[in-house]
Amino acid sequence: MQIRELKIPGAWEITPKQFPDDRGVFLEAYKSSAFEKAVGHRLDLRQANVSVSKAGTVRGIHFADVPPSQAKYVVCPRGAVLDFAIDIRVGSPTFGQWDSVLLDDVDRRAIYLSEGLGHAFIALEDDSTVMYMCSAEYAPGREHGVSPVCSEVALDFPKTGRDGSPLELLLSEKDTAAPNLAEARESGLLPTWDAVQAYLATL
């Protein structure tokens, strides 16, 4: 298992070693010892979610209040998605920036997003299945969003899917109505770098 920190502090790409044979393939999708060595603390799993999306579906940018926020370990067992880690932590040296990882059923990578980061992805083919292992349960009053088409964040969504066909962005009403980054910051909705670091120090 190879673990690489992305350009956004607090986000990692995890590439498992795969063991194929004539029956199929085996891999370790998550390994606590390797994870803890790279990240510096254990993942306290509290909830696991699964979404199935048609090509072009965009989910995000989602985040939760700090503390405790909601760290996410994300895999795509079927299909393909481009997954984004967005730095929405006010005061962070990379505030407003993002990085991405292709999650699919070929390389079977994962992405880990620590507390305080924004998360989004776009499905690159129909029936793309994403599993999120989360450090906190869903709490409606503490969950928030930033528009995934915010021009300040400027996520670079692919124009074509896995099969080369054009992608049309599909957003939920909630994500469409979400504020842009500046609006979320001005309203005090975003987590701060200092609050996130203080919380991470307790883990």
Side-chain angles (χ1 to χ4, degrees):
M1 178 176 287
Q2 296 180 337
I3 302 180
R4 175 180 69 89
E5 189 165 19
L6 302 180
K7 71 178 185 181
I8 302 302
W12 283 265
E13 173 193 82
I14 300 96
T15 303
K17 184 176 181 179
Q18 301 188 59
F19 300 91
D21 61 24
D22 56 4
R23 302 167 297 169
V25 65
F26 174 85
L27 64 133
E28 296 173 339
Y30 172 78
K31 189 170 186 176
S32 63
S33 59
F35 175 87
E36 291 170 23
K37 181 178 180 181
V39 175
H41 60 79
R42 68 188 183 92
L43 175 59
D44 185 12
L45 177 62
R46 295 300 180 96
Q47 183 169 321
N49 305 322
V50 174
S51 66
V52 181
S53 304
K54 64 192 305 184
T57 294
V58 176
R59 299 184 187 267
I61 302 168
H62 298 153
F63 64 98
D65 288 340
V66 179
S69 190
Q70 191 184 58
K72 298 175 181 176
Y73 190 98
V74 186
V75 297
C76 181
R78 177 182 179 184
V81 304
L82 186 61
D83 200 286
F84 297 90
I86 304 99
D87 194 345
I88 56 168
R89 302 165 297 190
V90 177
S92 166
T94 54
F95 177 76
Q97 298 179 35
W98 55 269
D99 205 345
S100 62
V101 174
L102 176 64
L103 308 180
D104 62 19
D105 52 15
V106 177
D107 294 318
R108 298 182 171 89
R109 291 188 179 93
I111 185 172
Y112 175 69
L113 303 97
S114 64
E115 291 81 356
L117 292 177
H119 177 237
F121 71 79
I122 179 172
L124 303 181
E125 71 176 29
D126 287 342
D127 297 321
S128 290
T129 302
V130 173
M131 174 174 281
Y132 326 60
M133 296 186 290
C134 304
S135 66
E137 295 184 7
Y138 175 70
R142 303 178 63 80
E143 305 287 334
H144 309 288
V146 169
S147 171
V149 293
C150 170
S151 59
E152 183 179 352
V153 178
L155 296 180
D156 188 9
F157 293 116
K159 303 297 188 295
T160 58
R162 200 180 197 185
D163 62 359
S165 60
L167 285 178
E168 178 182 350
L169 301 187
L170 302 172
L171 279 66
S172 70
E173 291 183 9
K174 181 179 178 181
D175 289 343
T176 300
N180 63 35
L181 189 66
E183 291 168 338
R185 181 177 186 174
E186 289 167 6
S187 67
L189 201 62
L190 301 178
T192 67
W193 173 261
D194 288 344
V196 171
Q197 297 311 304
Y199 178 71
L200 291 177
T202 69
L203 299 180

